[in-house]
Amino acid sequence: MKELREERFFREFCDTADNMYRLGWDERNGGNISMLLTREEEGCFGAPIRTIPIPFDASALAGRCFLVTGTGKYFKNVKKYPEENLGAFRIAKDGKNAELLWGYSDGGKFTSELPAHLMSHIARLSVDSAQRVVIHCHPTHTLAMNYVHELDEKKISHTLWQMSTECIVVFPEGVGVLPWMLCGTNEIGIATAEKMKKFRLVIWGMHGIYGAGDTLDEAFGLIETVEKAAQIYMLTAHLPRINTIKDEELARLAEAFGVNYRKEFLDL
Ligand code: 2HA
Ligand code: ZN
């Protein structure tokens, strides 16, 4: 068996955390990543070391394994010290416990946002069985935009689509938006998962964003595209707007690229 650090999925996981830190999306212990492992990837980890209670019923994922960032851990350190900062665990049959297979080596446990992550996985898998990755972070411009733009799904999606030609092609379903809510709770998990049935991107008002995808690259790329659009918005919102991509042009784009966009988010 190859050394874990040589496995591509594992390297990509560490590199994703490292890139997110470098981009300023994950200050201190901000942000978390969870990835549903394939049966082959599961085989890279050993027998259960200890059991960690899960604060909700995760029985819909019983028997499945996840690689997840640890609570209180800094993204800055993931690549250098993965065994302390990450954990791989299997969801026990009863759905109430995580059987730790590897990691959290200083006695730690999974992110406090596990409810939002696992509930989002359940929601995404119910619409697309290939969806394996959920990422949460605090991207600077997306967060800044939350303070000066209405937190309305249609309005925020529409503004983001206008900020760069690629946007409607990358996230044609738009962006789901939740109001400010207490994080780390089952309630925010339930609300996030409800949005995840319709969107791969969910903004947590004045907190950050969730992105889901088949791969780490896809989930990361969705957030990266929103963050770039939000940056352009923040660079231009206080200036007179002279040019704009018109709604009929956004529709033409979506049609040319064959993406099924959320038509009610345009005013045609
Ligand atoms: O755990 O980002 O939302 C760090 C966070 C909480
Ligand atoms: Zn957060």
Side-chain angles (χ1 to χ4, degrees):
M1 196 170 72
K2 270 197 284 185
E3 156 82 20
L4 187 56
R5 279 178 190 261
E6 287 168 23
E7 295 287 343
R8 182 171 168 163
F9 77 95
F10 188 80
R11 278 193 285 126
E12 283 181 359
F13 195 101
C14 294
D15 285 344
T16 301
D18 213 46
N19 279 327
M20 292 170 71
Y21 173 68
R22 202 175 42 77
L23 289 163
W25 302 353
D26 298 277
E27 72 292 341
R28 201 175 182 275
N29 63 321
N32 17 79
I33 308 176
S34 62
M35 180 162 81
L36 172 61
L37 300 175
T38 64
R39 296 296 179 198
E40 198 186 337
E41 289 163 355
E42 280 176 39
C44 298
F45 302 98
I49 306 165
R50 60 186 164 96
T51 308
I52 310 172
I54 295 176
F56 60 96
D57 178 11
S59 52
L61 297 166
R64 301 313 308 268
C65 290
F66 290 85
L67 183 60
V68 181
T69 50
T71 183
K73 300 301 187 202
Y74 291 25
F75 271 40
K76 177 171 80 66
N77 300 330
V78 166
K79 194 169 176 177
K80 218 167 177 185
Y81 307 111
E83 199 158 354
E84 259 172 47
N85 293 288
L86 307 178
F89 55 81
R90 177 173 288 118
I91 309 291
K93 274 205 191 77
D94 63 5
K96 294 194 170 69
N97 287 287
E99 296 166 351
L100 183 67
L101 308 176
W102 171 91
Y104 306 143
S105 64
D106 58 358
K109 63 179 214 168
F110 42 70
T111 168
S112 59
E113 302 296 0
L114 195 74
H117 277 260
L118 292 191
M119 291 179 194
S120 292
H121 278 286
I122 294 167
R124 290 306 309 160
L125 288 167
S126 74
V127 286
D128 179 351
S129 64
Q131 296 267 290
R132 295 207 291 137
V133 177
V134 173
I135 293 179
H136 165 62
C137 58
H138 309 153
T140 312
H141 301 90
T142 305
L143 206 40
M145 187 176 174
N146 277 215
Y147 292 89
V148 297
H149 192 288
E150 275 176 87
L151 286 176
D152 171 272
E153 253 154 35
K154 173 179 172 174
K155 289 180 183 164
I156 223 163
S157 298
H158 187 248
T159 300
L160 290 168
W161 283 347
Q162 285 184 326
M163 290 302 112
S164 155
T165 295
E166 297 277 287
C167 282
I168 198 166
V169 179
V170 175
F171 52 96
E173 75 271 48
V175 176
V177 178
L178 290 179
W180 186 91
M181 290 177 75
L182 186 62
C183 55
T185 60
N186 287 347
E187 288 68 34
I188 201 168
I190 293 164
T192 308
E194 203 47 45
K195 294 291 180 195
M196 282 283 182
K197 291 180 187 161
K198 286 168 43 187
F199 302 97
R200 290 169 299 160
L201 287 157
V202 180
I203 287 177
W204 276 9
M206 291 159 285
H207 178 137
I209 193 164
Y210 269 73
D214 293 4
T215 62
L216 286 157
D217 271 354
E218 188 195 351
F220 177 92
L222 283 167
I223 296 173
E224 187 179 31
T225 308
V226 166
E227 172 61 0
K228 173 77 175 266
Q231 181 172 14
I232 296 164
Y233 177 77
M234 294 308 296
L235 285 169
T236 55
H238 56 296
L239 301 171
R241 177 89 71 91
I242 296 172
N243 299 308
T244 201
I245 308 173
K246 298 183 191 74
D247 279 14
E248 69 210 44
E249 291 169 332
L250 290 170
R252 266 172 63 203
L253 257 168
E255 277 148 30
F257 283 86
V259 294
N260 185 18
Y261 70 104
R262 201 174 294 278
K263 294 188 178 52
E264 67 266 28
F265 283 1
L266 293 183
D267 296 310
L268 287 172

